[in-house]
Amino acid sequence: MKGIVFFDRDGTLINDPGYLSDPDRVEPIPGAIEGLLLLSKNGFRLAVLSNQAGLAKGKFTELQQAAVHERFVELFLRAGVLFEAVEYCPHHPEGIVDKYRKKCNCRKPATGMADRVLDRFPDSASWSRWMVGDKLIDIEMGKRLGARTILVGTGYGTEEQVECHRQGVHPDAYLHDAKEAASWILTDVRNP
Ligand SMILES: [Mg+2]
Ligand SMILES: [Zn+2]
């Protein structure tokens, strides 16, 4: 067991059209599946952590969200990628849907979603951790979790790289995409 790699979903593993609500628009980012397979073959556990404030904001329904989730998991599974967990945060402090309007402990950059995954495994405290995402909040969350962090250039990655600089938040690596991140993680294990 080498560890666990957490991935953001939208803009990191699949295209991010903004408030994704249509399963037919679930499109893996080129190379993402290949990268995940590489990690999985090398013994890494994989998990996905995704803010979905569109639920709190009434941008889409739970049924739409479930359909997108199912398509996402199915597309990756069909290619041989099995996730330990796929966690969502439906909350937002200024949401318009009552049950999801709150300041939760799972919306990234909070670590609640990762904690939920790790809590399921009694030996997870000893696992190495990585976090791969296209936004500053992904990097911030990874750092809070004690993970090595990678900002990818897909999704909002280019803009967010500027934001990371501005805020003095430094990922351990800036890489082109999830596929490059996977290769980097393999070398990171050998030379941390
Ligand atoms: Mg993202
Ligand atoms: Zn939440």
Side-chain angles (χ1 to χ4, degrees):
M1 170 52 55
K2 297 188 179 78
I4 184 161
V5 186
F6 294 104
F7 285 89
D8 166 53
R9 193 190 73 180
D10 301 346
T12 302
L13 296 180
I14 60 176
N15 288 329
D16 184 0
Y19 299 118
L20 177 56
S21 60
D22 177 355
D24 290 337
R25 295 193 69 187
V26 175
E27 297 160 353
I29 289 174
I33 286 175
E34 214 179 311
L36 294 181
L37 278 174
L38 179 69
L39 288 170
S40 155
K41 279 179 190 144
N42 279 276
F44 292 86
R45 292 181 188 269
L46 307 171
V48 178
L49 313 175
S50 180
N51 283 357
Q52 291 296 327
L55 283 164
K57 294 176 179 175
K59 302 281 186 185
F60 48 76
T61 65
E62 287 164 352
L63 270 177
Q64 288 173 307
Q65 152 73 10
V68 168
H69 166 74
E70 272 159 38
R71 182 71 59 87
F72 166 68
V73 170
E74 180 198 321
L75 282 175
F76 279 74
L77 186 60
R78 213 188 284 160
V81 176
L82 183 61
F83 297 113
E84 297 291 340
V86 181
E87 296 288 326
Y88 296 105
C89 166
H91 309 115
H92 195 278
E94 281 116 50
I96 58 164
V97 176
D98 285 350
K99 71 175 180 180
Y100 294 138
R101 181 176 54 241
K102 67 170 191 171
K103 186 165 177 354
C104 64
N105 66 1
C106 52
R107 179 172 167 77
K108 294 178 286 188
T111 60
M113 288 188 282
D115 295 335
R116 286 207 289 266
V117 176
L118 294 170
D119 284 350
R120 290 184 204 135
F121 301 91
D123 59 336
S124 63
S126 65
W127 295 356
S128 300
R129 300 151 185 205
W130 287 264
M131 175 67 199
V132 182
D134 70 322
K135 287 190 176 175
L136 168 68
I137 52 165
D138 296 311
I139 303 308
E140 286 180 327
M141 190 230 77
K143 287 183 180 289
R144 290 183 195 181
L145 196 68
R148 302 272 281 167
T149 54
I150 301 164
L151 188 79
V152 290
T154 50
Y156 290 93
T158 310
E159 298 97 301
E160 294 282 310
Q161 181 170 355
V162 177
E163 198 54 26
C164 283
H165 263 289
R166 218 170 58 79
Q167 305 220 13
V169 174
H170 304 294
D172 292 290
Y174 292 104
L175 296 167
H176 186 251
D177 56 17
K179 186 181 169 196
E180 272 193 12
S183 306
W184 186 87
I185 289 167
L186 292 183
T187 63
D188 195 37
V189 169
R190 291 193 287 269
N191 314 291

